Amino acid sequence: MINVTKTFLPPQEEYQLILKKVWEDGWITNRGALVKALEEQLKAYLSIPNIICMTNGTLPLQIAIKALGLQGEIITTPFSYVATTSSIVWEGCKPVFVDIHPDYLTIDETKIEAAITPKTSAILATHVFGNPCDVETIDAIAKKHHLKVIYDAAHCFGVQYKDQSIFNYGDISTCSFHATKLFHTGEGGAIVFKDDGLYNDFYYHHNFGHKGNEDFFGLGINAKMSELQAAMGLALFPYLNIILESRRSIVDFYNRQLQDTKLKFLKFRDHTNWNYSYYPIIFKNETQLLNVVHALNAADIFPRRYFYPSLDNLPYLKNQHCQISNQIAASILCLPLYHDLTEKQQTRIVELIKAHL
Ligand SMILES: *Cc1c(COP(=O)(O)O)cnc(C)c1O
């Protein structure tokens, strides 16, 4: 079976070697040595000022909204994973969708201002498949209207825009280290931010609001990363180059093999140093997509419809419709992409696609 992705696992002995420290110290969570070490490595590798690792990539979104005290309406994208929208709703705010750009697939920055009302408190946008939003324009709009900017950067591990980490744009970026992501800790995630002054605030929020053992700073939740999760991240670090290189050659192969078709591909924003995280292709229409999916499934190959459905269709939301996002969601498919996908397997995938276009 070939899935859309496959988790990269480091050699088991290397994971166990790192876990030895956990056994020696008898310290398995609550900000142990491994979480601290992972945060230091991430800061150095990504060149980012502040990071707090958390237990998944969704709680950082919720904590960002909570800690910034956001209320009312949050402008967001309908073309993302459900966590982007559900976090807004979970925090008692209203998601206001702005449609996406048909080529970049990120929020259409030219339509943001028209969606701003006196109730708007922030913009929460996703760098889709690691492709940056128009961060400059969004920044200018946010400044003009006094809005906060949060980026769901779950797909963006290692992505650089204009020679620095994409995590450094906006007030806050969040990342996911879920097992399906390029860099993972099984389950895991992080919040990244520039303002050192926010550190305690986010830290307390992710640890029940504790300020010391007996004092409370305010409301909090439990979003702590455990030592077992951090150990996976640390064990993976030495393999990052291998992971990225193998993905790059797989993407190059798809590019070469599919360039003579009428399929549409993701358009990258200029000055982006990408991470080869996903390989989306866009069909003429949904019928064509379904034909290809059926043919691939019959051959035991399981691409995924990322993202489907467009989030304006969520059952707990009403009365918003984003035409371009719906059109893209109906016709986009992410092809298998992972470190040890072979050229032979890729050739089979490409042949099946071409035979059913
Ligand atoms: C994976 C993902 C998330 C959620 O991350 P988890 O670690 O699974 O909680 C949020 N947003 C996007 C865009 C994602 O792809």
Side-chain angles (χ1 to χ4, degrees):
M1 184 169 82
I2 298 175
N3 264 324
V4 67
T5 190
K6 180 166 151 190
T7 303
F8 183 96
L9 288 169
Q12 207 177 336
E13 318 78 71
E14 294 178 22
Y15 182 58
Q16 276 165 351
L17 202 64
I18 296 170
L19 285 179
K20 251 184 111 172
K21 175 121 186 79
V22 176
W23 260 251
E24 280 164 14
D25 296 352
W27 191 286
I28 200 162
T29 187
N30 285 1
R31 204 155 177 79
L34 299 185
V35 166
K36 288 183 193 163
L38 180 62
E39 286 177 353
E40 288 312 311
Q41 285 214 26
L42 289 167
K43 279 200 276 187
Y45 180 83
L46 300 166
S47 293
I48 50 172
N50 296 296
I51 186 168
I52 300 173
C53 285
M54 298 195 188
T55 196
N56 60 48
T58 302
L59 282 162
L61 285 168
Q62 293 179 203
I63 287 173
I65 295 168
K66 183 79 85 192
L68 293 178
L70 301 181
Q71 292 185 328
E73 298 174 356
I74 297 181
I75 289 176
T76 190
T77 174
F79 192 67
S80 184
Y81 185 60
V82 66
T84 317
T85 301
S86 65
S87 297
I88 295 173
V89 177
W90 195 269
E91 293 303 326
C93 297
K94 180 185 175 198
V96 173
F97 292 117
V98 165
D99 212 344
I100 57 168
H101 190 285
D103 301 321
Y104 295 117
L105 310 186
T106 48
I107 195 166
D108 187 340
E109 64 282 352
T110 65
K111 294 179 180 161
I112 290 177
E113 279 203 282
I116 295 175
T117 75
K119 290 185 188 157
T120 309
S121 58
I123 300 167
L124 168 48
T126 302
H127 303 303
V128 179
F129 306 131
N131 194 26
C133 298
D134 182 344
V135 291
E136 284 95 359
T137 303
I138 291 174
D139 187 48
I141 294 169
K143 283 215 168 76
K144 184 171 154 198
H145 297 272
H146 309 289
L147 306 176
K148 298 288 182 192
V149 179
I150 303 169
Y151 287 115
D152 182 338
H155 297 172
C156 297
F157 191 90
V159 171
Q160 292 201 317
Y161 176 68
K162 295 198 171 162
D163 295 324
Q164 65 163 313
S165 171
I166 190 66
F167 293 150
N168 285 338
Y169 295 88
D171 294 296
I172 295 173
S173 293
T174 64
C175 192
S176 167
F177 305 149
H178 184 257
T180 54
K181 306 296 205 274
L182 189 149
F183 173 82
H184 77 93
T185 56
E187 292 273 359
I191 191 164
V192 178
F193 48 97
K194 279 172 295 195
D195 182 356
D196 299 342
L198 291 173
Y199 188 90
N200 284 341
D201 204 346
F202 291 149
Y203 186 79
Y204 296 144
H205 269 91
H206 107 298
N207 186 27
F208 302 101
H210 269 296
K211 185 180 182 183
N213 281 342
E214 293 167 10
D215 250 358
F216 286 95
F217 152 90
L219 187 65
I221 197 166
N222 179 7
K224 286 170 284 141
M225 176 180 273
S226 79
E227 293 290 277
L228 304 180
Q229 291 172 288
M232 179 59 81
L234 289 167
L236 223 69
F237 243 103
Y239 296 93
L240 266 175
N241 277 343
I242 293 174
I243 294 170
L244 284 165
E245 271 310 304
S246 57
R247 284 175 167 271
R248 190 163 67 103
S249 60
I250 290 161
V251 165
D252 285 347
F253 189 83
Y254 276 139
N255 283 344
R256 285 198 306 277
Q257 301 294 315
L258 292 171
Q259 65 181 357
D260 59 345
T261 63
K262 290 212 170 93
L263 292 165
K264 243 185 78 183
F265 302 93
L266 176 62
K267 181 177 176 191
F268 287 97
R269 208 168 290 282
D270 286 345
H271 313 292
T272 301
N273 209 334
W274 189 45
N275 62 357
Y276 311 96
S277 47
Y278 294 85
Y279 198 87
I281 54 176
I282 302 171
F283 294 90
K284 193 170 62 186
N285 52 42
E286 189 167 23
T287 313
Q288 197 182 50
L289 173 143
L290 291 173
N291 282 341
V292 168
V293 168
H294 289 149
L296 289 170
N297 288 172
D300 224 14
I301 299 164
F302 298 92
R304 274 290 291 270
R305 298 184 70 179
Y306 290 140
F307 297 106
Y308 181 86
S310 175
L311 297 172
D312 48 319
N313 299 299
L314 283 170
Y316 46 85
L317 298 175
K318 289 191 223 67
N319 303 331
Q320 298 192 54
H321 181 74
C322 299
Q323 197 203 336
I324 297 169
S325 179
N326 275 275
Q327 215 173 313
I328 294 290
S331 55
I332 194 166
L333 186 69
C334 283
L335 297 185
L337 172 55
Y338 49 84
H339 57 283
D340 62 358
L341 190 67
T342 65
E343 274 200 9
K344 197 169 157 219
Q345 291 172 318
Q346 278 194 280
T347 303
R348 177 106 181 93
I349 292 166
V350 166
E351 280 170 0
L352 283 164
I353 293 170
K354 286 182 169 173
H356 292 86
L357 283 181

